[in-house]
Amino acid sequence: MRFGLKTTPMHVSYDEILRVWQEADGLPQIEDAWLWDHLLPLAGPADGPVHEGWTLLTALAAQTERLRLGLLVSSNRLRHPAMLGKITSTLDVVSRGRLVVGLGAGGTHQPAGAGGIPGENPAIAEYAAYGLTLVPPAEGLGRLAESIEILKLMWTRDRFDFDGRYYTLTGTRNEPKPVQRPGPPLLIGGWGTRMLRLVAEHADAWNIPGPPHNSVEFVAERNRVLDRHCAEIGRDPREIERSVQLIVSYDDPASSRELVRRLADAGMDHIVLSLRPPYPPGAARWLVDEITTAVP
């Protein structure tokens, strides 16, 4: 079992996030740290602060030394894949080879309550505010598949062309290449059956939101679907890390520990412990003392 932490950069200052990350950087029980990729608050006051994910991640990478780091997950709809390839290559250099590229389909048409988030799809307001359009889920998956191919080309090829259904590139070059070869590990986030097929085909890790957004039983069922996809394409399912996000309770750490045990029994081997802001003093140490070292 591996543990990471997540600081949602919403309604919280940069200095508070930096404090938690630098504390975690000195705690080997926490192996990685994560942000998200949204442009407006998903909860709380609509006019509250939200920091842009890749910019913030770069700043944190420059001020930490050990933690692996990434976004859970980067929206494929917010940046052209060639631009994302340049961003990820640069950040892997800045972090000296610590980046994990978390990627998801991003803004697609979804019913209210999708993903365990109550109410109307928050991407509707977010994308309208930034001049972006939602697309059907099938198109979102098609774009994501092409983006994965483009990223891998940018990480490994000196020059290439790409002619896909959604993206066209001519004479693309990308220097410097990432420190990690052939590129940073690829984590894909999502839970739909077609998305899990993409995970089986391309990902080094899979991440899904767990409690309170999705139940342990739902996570376990989706994990079995991924295993079936791996069997169908002849891939060893053990090659894919199974990662889940869990929002921890400051008031009842025993309940969080029990959920960690149940998620482990469901086949998950990487738990990202998400902290709600404001972060108390010593938040990372609290995670170690109350969760990571207290779970048998």
Side-chain angles (χ1 to χ4, degrees):
M1 178 64 67
R2 296 176 50 249
F3 289 96
L5 68 78
K6 182 179 180 182
T7 52
T8 301
M10 172 182 73
H11 304 309
V12 67
S13 72
Y14 166 64
D15 287 338
E16 288 180 271
I17 296 173
L18 177 61
R19 167 174 60 83
V20 174
W21 280 53
Q22 288 185 325
E23 181 187 7
D25 201 37
L27 298 171
Q29 298 89 343
I30 300 175
E31 298 190 28
D32 39 76
W34 305 84
L35 303 171
W36 73 355
D37 194 25
H38 289 282
L39 306 174
L40 293 177
L42 297 189
D47 59 351
V50 173
H51 303 282
E52 196 281 319
W54 284 105
T55 308
L56 180 58
L57 189 66
T58 304
L60 295 167
Q63 299 191 79
T64 54
E65 297 181 355
R66 181 191 58 83
L67 290 167
R68 295 194 67 81
L69 44 87
L71 302 187
L72 284 179
V73 285
S74 185
S75 167
N76 188 56
R77 298 284 296 123
L78 294 185
R79 302 161 195 84
H80 191 284
M83 179 58 69
L84 185 61
K86 175 63 74 175
I87 291 170
T88 56
S89 298
T90 300
L91 183 46
D92 201 51
V93 171
V94 170
S95 68
R96 295 177 172 81
R98 292 183 286 133
L99 178 65
V100 178
V101 176
L103 195 58
T108 61
H109 298 294
Q110 297 289 337
I117 299 176
E120 185 180 56
N121 178 5
I124 296 173
E126 181 177 31
Y127 279 49
Y130 281 83
L132 303 166
T133 58
L134 302 181
V135 298
E139 180 178 337
L141 286 172
R143 288 180 176 274
L144 179 59
E146 289 190 13
S147 292
I148 292 169
E149 187 175 352
I150 290 169
L151 287 175
K152 292 183 176 181
L153 289 170
M154 293 195 73
W155 295 339
T156 58
R157 297 285 185 87
D158 293 333
R159 182 185 184 280
F160 68 92
D161 300 333
F162 185 85
D163 186 17
R165 180 176 180 181
Y166 301 105
Y167 304 109
T168 301
L169 302 172
T170 303
T172 303
R173 299 179 185 272
N174 178 41
E175 295 294 341
K177 294 289 190 292
V179 172
Q180 299 177 89
R181 297 299 179 94
L186 178 65
L187 176 151
I188 297 178
W191 53 84
T193 298
R194 290 178 294 178
M195 177 67 84
L196 292 175
R197 180 67 174 219
L198 205 64
V199 172
E201 293 171 346
H202 298 288
D204 300 297
W206 164 59
N207 182 268
I208 182 172
H213 299 309
N214 292 306
S215 69
V216 174
E217 291 75 18
F218 180 78
V219 172
E221 188 272 333
R222 293 289 88 188
N223 195 31
R224 292 191 293 270
V225 171
L226 178 55
D227 284 342
R228 290 198 294 270
H229 282 312
C230 288
E232 289 169 2
I233 66 173
R235 184 176 184 185
D236 185 347
R238 293 172 296 182
E239 295 177 357
I240 303 174
E241 182 177 69
R242 313 303 169 99
S243 176
V244 60
Q245 300 175 60
L246 169 65
I247 297 178
V248 299
S249 170
Y250 297 128
D251 298 326
D252 186 10
S255 67
S256 297
R257 291 194 295 269
E258 177 60 23
L259 286 170
V260 169
R261 295 186 189 98
R262 293 177 59 201
L263 289 165
D265 290 342
M268 310 307 285
D269 52 21
H270 178 227
I271 310 292
V272 178
L273 302 168
S274 183
L275 296 167
R276 293 187 185 274
Y279 311 126
R285 169 55 67 181
W286 180 88
L287 286 178
V288 170
D289 292 343
E290 295 290 343
I291 308 294
T292 70
T293 59
V295 174

